[in-house]
């Protein structure tokens, strides 16, 4: 193709694709099929690759991303990006209206529009071309995410229309449509299932809601990935002088004519009564929208009035967000069943007649404990109200007593473990019933293993709940230390286990031996010792023996460790079974010694300021243990012998070159035996 011809074609394709984008994304009125669109886009990309000199700065091909940004530049906002005051009550809305009227000395018409649940963005255009996109950040400065934003098809790269302002800033919300979110989670689930993860692990890794996902997506470093996530945007704020329009309503219409997508309905309301009606209308409508809204924004329409009202330090006085309370639904309680957790806690779960709530079907809800059931006086067959708080696990909030079936009897909490029939115990002052059969109760054993391998503990992601269940059932393992004794021959012949998956499982287990002490401590599943407590303990007591020796006074001296945690730790070390398990884990080479960054130094830190190298194979201690111990003694451990090295701890079979080099530059060399004689062994 001749260059001139190519240039004409590139210009034509760019224009056409921009027009179709707008028809599709801003006006929701496409005139060509997706395939035809893709064909035009492909032709444009091909031509631009061959004739890059003709690529336009606002080419629609930028929408497919590909730019890798290393990190985002922080940019100051020209004007702060404020947030909005919000309320859940019509009464407070009336107060807002009163304040507005008093300050202005007259009534002010409002506009009402959906409050989109996404991520705020500020967009800068120069002579109609998109220059810069900045996130809200802390309100004063945000991240420059232009390359990522350019992939969002409802944001025009070039504005259309006449009389465009030379400089323009608009603000709006980037969001992920519900269907895109569901599709993304559907695909993520498939991938994780293929990797052998179980339901709990999958739940852990799935995206939590469209807002978090949109926010995470905008921060991705690879804009090609952003393009795949199909984000969208609405513009709800046009900044500038009166030439842009004297009312918010006018400005939004203008933004629409320039090619922006604007909120579905920006309704004009003469007074507060109209506003309240509009809020009611949208309360119903919102469930059917293709994106999440968490309320309605009420704005004084007249820009001069807005300026007169001004802002507080945090939010404008001319706008307020009305938020809808969490959605509730009523359904009937079919059954209550009991789950036994890894600590033996028995949790009641409500089995419900499936019901739609905030866009998903709910079949189960947590009932917390026996007191919760008693307080609600729950009975089978009851009609119960359920609610989704912050879009996670739904909860039962109340019972409709008017609909209670006549024969419904009060619910009696079981006296024996539903899994192993051991009598349940309840400690004084505790709401939870426990099964005390720690070593024999199957769900507890499984729960402990699942916890042990979980992401924040030993992170053995090649072992899912299903696999662990099978290993327990086949008697291959009983406790965590048994995992380290597994061999390939023991797994051959298990249904569904091929050479490769066996290899992966064993490699995952082996790799976990490198996990630091605080993770091992967390993985042990000592009651009340969560991730943060484990870190604090590892810092205060850098070896497992120091922790074991600590009495209650020493334990509670640590920040955030109270009597309950201290007692639980003491109880753990008082049980022979736990001590045997610890010894086995230690023999398998797990790390029971804190690394420098997580521990206090040894009291006299004899190797402080020294650089040490560990090389070869050791018989009485594992390499990670030895490294951690050297750090505990104050040394910095590096990988190779250099002029800075002070000490080489030489195990068996170490490379002769390394030894020669160390000898040549006069590094102190200690064998394993000599080292232990001098410094002792990590306990
Ligand atoms: S107006 C200076 N309108 O809600 C006033 N904000 O909770 C600018 N939001 O930071 C905000 N939909 O990210 C406005 N129709 C809408 C909105 C909206 C969503 C977000 C926005 C703001 C946050 C405050």
């Amino acid at each position: 193709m001749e260059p001139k011809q190519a240039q004409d074609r590139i210009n034509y394709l760019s224009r056409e694709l921009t027009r179709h984008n707008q028809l599709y994304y801003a006006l929701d009125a496409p005139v060509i099929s997706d395939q035809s669109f893709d064909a035009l886009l492909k032709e444009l990309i091909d031509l631009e690759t061959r004739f890059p000199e003709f690529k336009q700065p606002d080419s629609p091909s930028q929408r497919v991303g590909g730019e890798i940004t290393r990190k985002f530049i922080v940019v100051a906002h020209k004007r702060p990006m404020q947030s909005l005051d919000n309320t859940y009550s019509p009464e407070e809305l009336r107060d807002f209206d009163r304040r507005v009227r008093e300050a202005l000395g007259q009534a002010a018409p409002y506009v009402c529009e959906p409050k989109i649940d996404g991520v705020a963005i500020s967009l800068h255009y120069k002579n109609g071309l998109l220059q810069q996109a900045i996130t809200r950040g802390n309100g004063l400065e945000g991240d420059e995410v232009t390359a990522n934003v350019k992939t969002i098809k409802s944001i025009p790269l070039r504005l259309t229309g006449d009389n465009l302002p030379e400089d323009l800033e608009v603000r709006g919300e980037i969001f992920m449509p519900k269907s895109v979110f569901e599709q993304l989670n559907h695909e993520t689930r498939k991938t994780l299932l293929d990797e052998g993860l179980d339901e709990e692990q999958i739940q852990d890794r799935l995206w939590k809601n469209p807002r978090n996902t949109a926010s995470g997506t905008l921060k991705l470093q690879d804009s090609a990935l952003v393009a795949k996530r199909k984000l969208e945007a609405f513009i709800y704020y046009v900044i500038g002088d009166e030439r842009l329009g004297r009312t918010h309503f006018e400005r939004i219409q203008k933004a629409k004519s320039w090619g922006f997508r604007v909120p579905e309905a920006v309704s004009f309301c003469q007074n507060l009564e109209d506003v309240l009606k509009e809020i009611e209308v949208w309360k119903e409508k919102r469930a059917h929208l293709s994106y999440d809204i968490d309320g309605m924004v009420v704005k004084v329409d007249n820009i001069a009035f807005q300026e007169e009202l001004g802002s507080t330090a945090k939010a404008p006085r001319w706008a307020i967000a009305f938020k809808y309370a969490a959605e509730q639904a009523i359904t009937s309680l079919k059954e209550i069943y009991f789950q036994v957790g890894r600590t033996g806690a028995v949790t009641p779960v409500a089995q419900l007649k499936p019901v739609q709530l905030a866009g998903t079907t709910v079949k189960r809800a947590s009932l917390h404990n026996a007191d919760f059931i008693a307080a609600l006086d729950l009975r089978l067959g009851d009609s119960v109200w359920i609610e989704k708080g912050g879009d996670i696990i739904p909860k039962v909030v109340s019972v409709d007593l008017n609909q209670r079936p006549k024969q419904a009897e009060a619910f009696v909490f079981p006296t024996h473990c539903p899994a192993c029939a051991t009598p349940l115990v309840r400690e004084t002052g505790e709401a939870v019933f426990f099964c005390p059969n720690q070593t024999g109760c199957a769900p507890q054993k499984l729960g402990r293993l699942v916890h042990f391998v979980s992401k924040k503990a030993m992170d053995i992601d090649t072992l899912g709940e299903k696999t662990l269940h099978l290993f327990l059932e086949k008697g291959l393992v009983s406790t965590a230390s048994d995992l380290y004794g597994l061999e390939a021959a023991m797994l051959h012949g298990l249904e569904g286990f091929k050479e490769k998956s066996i290899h992966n499982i064993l490699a995952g287990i082996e790799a976990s031996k490198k996990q630091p002490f605080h993770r091992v401590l967390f993985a042990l599943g000592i009651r009340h010792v969560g991730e943060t407590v484990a870190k604090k303990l590892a810092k205060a007591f850098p070896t497992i023996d120091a922790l074991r020796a600590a009495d209650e006074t020493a334990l509670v001296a640590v920040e955030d460790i109270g009597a309950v945690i201290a007692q639980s730790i003491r109880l753990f070390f008082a049980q022979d079974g736990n001590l045997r398990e610890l010894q086995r884990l230690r023999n398998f080479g797990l790390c029971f010694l804190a690394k420098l960054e997580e521990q206090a130094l040894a009291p006299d830190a004899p190797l402080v300021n020294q650089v040490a190298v560990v090389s070869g194979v050791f018989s009485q201690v594992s390499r990670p243990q030895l490294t951690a111990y050297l750090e505990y003694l104050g040394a910095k451990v590096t990988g190779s012998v250099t002029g800075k090295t002070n000490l080489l701890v030489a195990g068996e079979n170490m490379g002769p070159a390394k030894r020669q080099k160390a000898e040549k530059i006069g590094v102190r060399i200690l064998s394993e035996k000599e080292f232990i004689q001098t410094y002792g062994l990590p306990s």
Side-chain angles (χ1 to χ4, degrees):
M1 190 186 272
E2 289 295 308
K4 177 76 183 89
Q5 239 179 328
Q7 186 177 19
D8 288 350
R9 187 72 187 155
I10 285 177
N11 291 347
Y12 168 79
L13 288 168
S14 301
R15 250 192 340 267
E16 270 304 278
L17 285 162
T18 303
R19 186 170 75 86
H20 289 305
N21 254 334
Q22 224 168 32
L23 284 168
Y24 188 95
Y25 288 101
L27 304 174
D28 203 10
V31 293
I32 58 169
S33 71
D34 288 357
Q35 281 111 311
S36 312
F37 184 90
D38 289 345
L40 294 179
L41 183 61
K42 186 172 178 308
E43 188 187 344
L44 177 64
I45 293 172
D46 289 347
L47 279 175
E48 284 178 345
T49 318
R50 285 167 53 204
F51 301 94
E53 65 274 27
F54 301 135
K55 180 172 172 176
Q56 299 190 354
D58 60 336
S59 168
S61 63
Q62 295 175 76
R63 307 282 202 194
V64 276
E67 200 167 314
I68 312 263
T69 329
R70 275 290 143 244
K71 62 183 187 333
F72 300 111
I73 299 168
V74 175
V75 180
H77 292 296
K78 290 222 170 80
R79 299 181 187 201
M81 278 183 89
Q82 295 196 298
S83 72
L84 290 172
D85 285 334
N86 60 51
T87 173
Y88 289 86
S89 92
E91 247 336 287
E92 285 183 13
L93 264 191
R94 288 185 198 281
D95 290 343
F96 164 77
D97 177 47
R98 207 169 300 127
R99 283 197 302 274
V100 166
R101 281 185 290 119
E102 276 173 16
L104 296 174
Q106 59 180 305
Y110 295 109
V111 274
C112 224
E113 60 198 35
K115 183 171 186 311
I116 301 119
D117 202 6
V119 187
I121 194 81
S122 154
L123 304 173
H124 292 264
Y125 288 80
K126 198 160 185 72
N127 297 321
L129 272 185
L130 175 61
Q131 300 289 320
Q132 215 177 24
I134 314 168
T135 62
R136 178 167 184 274
N138 62 10
L140 297 175
E141 45 184 34
D143 288 327
E144 211 243 62
V145 289
T146 316
N148 286 350
V149 164
K150 280 186 172 172
T151 69
I152 301 174
K153 302 204 174 102
S154 41
I155 293 181
L157 301 175
R158 181 196 289 272
L159 304 180
T160 51
D162 305 323
N163 298 329
L164 287 167
E166 195 181 313
D167 284 301
L168 174 72
E169 179 182 357
V170 296
R171 292 182 183 172
E173 200 83 352
I174 291 178
F175 62 94
M176 177 170 275
K178 290 184 204 169
S179 60
V180 176
F181 170 75
E182 273 155 25
Q183 182 63 24
L184 176 68
N185 260 353
H186 178 74
E187 280 159 17
T188 312
R189 167 184 289 280
K190 257 194 354 213
T191 316
L192 297 177
L193 267 177
D194 288 348
E195 286 174 12
L197 270 67
D198 59 51
E199 192 51 34
E200 204 178 328
Q201 291 170 313
I202 292 176
Q203 283 303 330
D204 236 30
R205 298 220 197 155
L206 287 183
W207 294 94
K208 296 294 172 266
N209 58 45
R211 182 185 5 94
N212 290 350
T213 319
S215 167
T217 302
L218 258 198
K219 299 283 171 64
L220 288 173
Q221 295 291 332
D222 180 354
S223 62
L225 270 184
V226 181
K228 285 196 189 134
R229 297 268 179 89
K230 302 198 181 87
L231 296 175
E232 295 190 18
F234 282 127
I235 294 306
Y236 52 64
Y237 193 32
V238 180
I239 303 178
D241 63 30
E242 59 186 22
R243 280 172 297 177
L244 297 179
R246 287 170 198 276
T247 64
H248 174 73
F249 193 84
E250 259 179 71
R251 290 182 176 202
I252 291 296
Q253 298 315 314
K254 198 162 264 177
K256 187 171 177 181
S257 77
W258 291 330
F260 289 110
R261 187 168 173 202
V262 299
E264 215 145 300
V266 180
S267 16
F268 183 78
C269 298
Q270 196 57 51
N271 52 38
L272 194 79
E273 295 317 309
D274 288 356
V275 167
L276 291 171
K277 278 187 211 145
E278 193 63 19
I279 285 176
E280 270 313 297
V281 170
W282 277 85
K283 190 173 169 191
E284 299 309 319
K285 258 197 201 173
R286 71 184 189 126
H288 310 292
L289 291 173
S290 58
Y291 50 90
D292 281 338
I293 71 168
D294 58 344
M296 295 296 281
V297 185
V298 183
K299 298 175 178 172
V300 168
D301 189 31
N302 186 307
I303 304 290
F305 284 174
Q306 288 185 1
E307 279 162 9
E308 197 175 330
L309 288 161
S311 300
T312 65
K314 191 182 136 256
R317 290 197 193 87
W318 46 266
I320 191 165
F322 181 90
K323 294 233 192 154
Y324 293 112
E327 272 187 67
Q328 294 195 342
I330 190 159
T331 184
S332 65
L333 175 65
K334 292 206 312 202
E335 211 185 306
I336 297 180
Y337 67 91
F338 297 87
Q339 269 175 344
V340 185
R342 69 178 163 91
T343 59
V346 179
T347 315
V349 181
Q351 178 109 44
L352 306 165
K353 182 167 166 228
V355 64
Q356 280 297 115
L357 176 61
T360 56
T361 309
V362 175
K363 298 184 202 129
R364 276 179 285 275
S366 167
L367 292 171
H368 309 293
N369 55 48
D371 289 351
F372 185 82
I373 298 180
L376 285 175
D377 184 22
L378 262 192
R379 309 198 181 174
L380 293 188
D382 264 344
S383 293
V384 291
W385 282 100
I386 57 167
E387 182 180 295
K388 263 197 202 170
D391 58 41
I392 328 170
I393 304 168
K395 54 183 183 197
V396 173
V397 283
S398 62
V399 180
D400 184 349
L401 292 175
N402 293 327
Q403 295 193 47
R404 170 161 286 172
K406 280 216 174 59
Q407 264 78 44
E409 285 183 19
F411 191 81
V412 187
F413 208 86
T415 52
H416 290 71
C417 175
C420 71
T422 305
L424 297 181
V425 291
R426 189 187 207 185
E427 279 151 38
T428 28
E430 289 226 27
V432 183
F433 278 97
F434 281 92
C435 166
N437 180 17
Q438 285 184 8
T439 46
C441 180
Q444 291 191 52
K445 288 166 82 173
L446 178 62
R448 280 198 297 272
L449 287 173
V450 169
H451 171 75
F452 186 84
V453 304
S454 66
K455 192 157 183 54
K456 290 180 176 164
M458 302 305 279
D459 193 19
I460 310 180
D461 64 3
T462 48
L463 277 175
E465 182 168 344
K466 251 186 17 220
T467 309
L468 290 169
H469 188 263
L470 181 75
F471 287 1
L472 269 174
E473 212 178 54
K474 297 278 176 205
L476 291 168
V477 302
S478 177
T479 64
S481 61
D482 297 332
L483 294 172
Y484 295 93
L486 286 175
E487 285 168 16
M490 297 157 82
L491 307 183
H492 283 139
L494 280 183
E495 201 181 324
F497 285 77
K498 302 213 176 73
E499 203 63 51
K500 181 142 194 282
S501 54
I502 292 174
H503 171 82
N504 287 346
I505 288 173
L506 295 179
I509 295 172
E510 186 60 29
S512 76
K513 290 183 182 170
K514 295 219 171 68
Q515 294 292 6
F517 179 44
H518 68 86
R519 274 177 174 259
V520 178
L521 204 49
F522 173 56
L524 293 176
I526 305 172
R527 243 183 113 197
H528 304 302
V529 177
E531 201 194 350
T532 317
V533 169
K535 279 189 185 155
K536 292 199 165 146
L537 287 172
K539 194 162 185 171
F541 307 101
T543 69
I544 193 83
D545 291 323
L547 181 61
R548 184 181 162 196
D551 61 10
E552 187 164 342
T553 319
L555 288 166
V556 296
V558 179
E559 189 197 353
D560 287 346
I561 312 281
V564 174
I565 303 179
Q567 265 168 29
S568 171
I569 295 168
R570 304 281 300 147
L571 192 68
F572 178 85
F573 286 110
Q575 291 172 0
D576 284 344
N578 290 338
L579 297 182
R580 277 197 301 275
E581 176 72 358
L582 281 177
Q583 192 51 51
R584 291 196 68 206
L585 290 171
R586 187 185 277 194
N587 293 345
F588 280 117
L590 269 69
C591 181
F592 282 101
L593 185 76
K595 276 192 174 267
L596 188 60
E597 68 266 21
E598 54 189 342
Q599 71 174 20
L601 280 186
D604 49 353
L607 295 179
V608 89
N609 291 333
Q610 304 243 343
V611 177
V613 172
V614 175
S615 188
V617 182
F618 299 87
S619 57
Q620 296 193 53
V621 64
S622 73
R623 287 261 301 247
Q625 279 176 321
L626 185 56
T627 304
Y629 188 54
L630 280 161
E631 287 176 343
Y632 175 57
L633 298 174
K636 180 170 178 239
V637 183
T638 63
S640 53
V641 174
T642 69
K644 292 195 180 132
T645 310
N646 306 97
L647 170 68
L648 171 67
V649 188
E652 289 297 310
N653 301 335
M654 76 167 280
K658 213 177 224 177
R659 178 178 278 274
Q660 270 165 21
K661 183 166 180 196
E663 279 166 355
K664 196 165 151 208
I665 49 183
V667 173
R668 180 176 167 217
I669 303 175
L670 292 178
S671 68
E672 180 176 7
K673 203 168 146 209
E674 287 163 343
F675 179 83
I676 295 170
Q677 274 165 1
T678 319
Y679 297 106
L681 245 194
S683 42

